[in-house]
Amino acid sequence: MFNIQQTKAGARERRVAGPETHPSTGKKLAHPSPRGPLIFADTATIKDIEPLYRAGIISGVTTNPSLVKKAGAKSWADAESIMKELIKLVAPNPVLLELLDLTDEAMIKQAQEFAGWGDNVVIKVPVGGYQAVDPSYDPFTGLKVIHALWERDITCCATLVFNSTQALWAANAGACFVAPFIGRLADYAYSNDHVERAAGNSLYWLEDHRNAKGDQCVSNTEYVACGGARKDIGPRLIQEISAIFTNYDIRTQILAASFRHFVQLSECLLAGADVLTVPANLLQQVADHPLTTAGMATFFEDSKAFEK
Ligand code: G3P
């Protein structure tokens, strides 16, 4: 079970103090606390981002191909224009753009193109999964690209992270951010946990359907596989990555992604996330609370007694 008490105080030391001004433009950065967690909007839809940005709720944006499509892109030209508009809207705060190419040379070239669009561009690189697209692809493509971008001083984020070893591999390769998808983990756990397995362990006991014997393979540490409520599988992963990064003073930022519920936001902050990227509808919900609404209604009513 996710336990707040286990949160390591050392994580604060690991967290890099953010710059107060943008290194190139000198413009004041939005976040008031140098070591504070950042909140990004996980959407490419400008009309959703604008009010959140103006209200100081978010100080960055993350996108992926699905979100750019959802924002209305029907062609490369549309996608490019949406991405460029985002870069301009939130500059000098970061906008994370995901690479679409799938071979290392093409990805590095595309990353250089995206990075040329603005100083605030961060390149998102899927950490793995390349063989799902084509079995002949190199499984290390993502890590190779992350490393090549690090060598070229291009800031990047390893995305589609589902265990702490992927996060460590990406950090070692040179990723400035790693993005664990905590909601997709919970979705997976809800649909795959069975009574014969310890609760919450489905992620770590993946059935290998390609193996004729039906063997299972362990894909993470026993530490994480020790049980707990299914719904907190994401925060527990954040806690594990945070503990590992803290132990070895790894400064890569943990960018928790794929949120389903606002409780997960606080849990991930308590677990040691450095950045939360949150869908716009969830950010809007969190800005209010039924008791805030009720309180406002009463204050407004009572203020009528001494109206100017
Ligand atoms: O930033 C990653 C995020 O967009 C994935 O979210 O809701 O598709 O699991 P979701």
Side-chain angles (χ1 to χ4, degrees), residues 2 7 15 37 180 182-183 232-239 242 254-259 261-276:
F2 171 64
T7 303
R15 202 163 297 135
I182 66 127
D232 67 4
I233 192 166
R236 283 191 292 128
L237 174 60
I238 301 289
Q239 195 171 49
S242 173
I254 305 167
L255 187 158
S258 172
F259 284 96
H261 192 274
F262 61 82
V263 171
Q264 293 168 330
L265 303 177
S266 311
E267 285 185 337
C268 283
L269 290 174
L270 291 166
D274 302 295
V275 190
L276 309 181

Side-chain angles (χ1 to χ4, degrees), residues 15-33:
R15 202 163 297 135
V16 184
E20 283 171 21
T21 53
H22 189 266
S24 319
T25 61
K27 202 172 157 189
K28 185 167 159 268
L29 291 175
H31 202 282
S33 161

Side-chain angles (χ1 to χ4, degrees), residues 42 62 64 67 124 181 184 257-258 260 277:
D42 195 20
T62 56
N64 60 35
L67 293 173
K124 265 173 110 180
F181 279 23
R184 288 195 196 183
S258 172
R260 301 282 179 266
T277 187

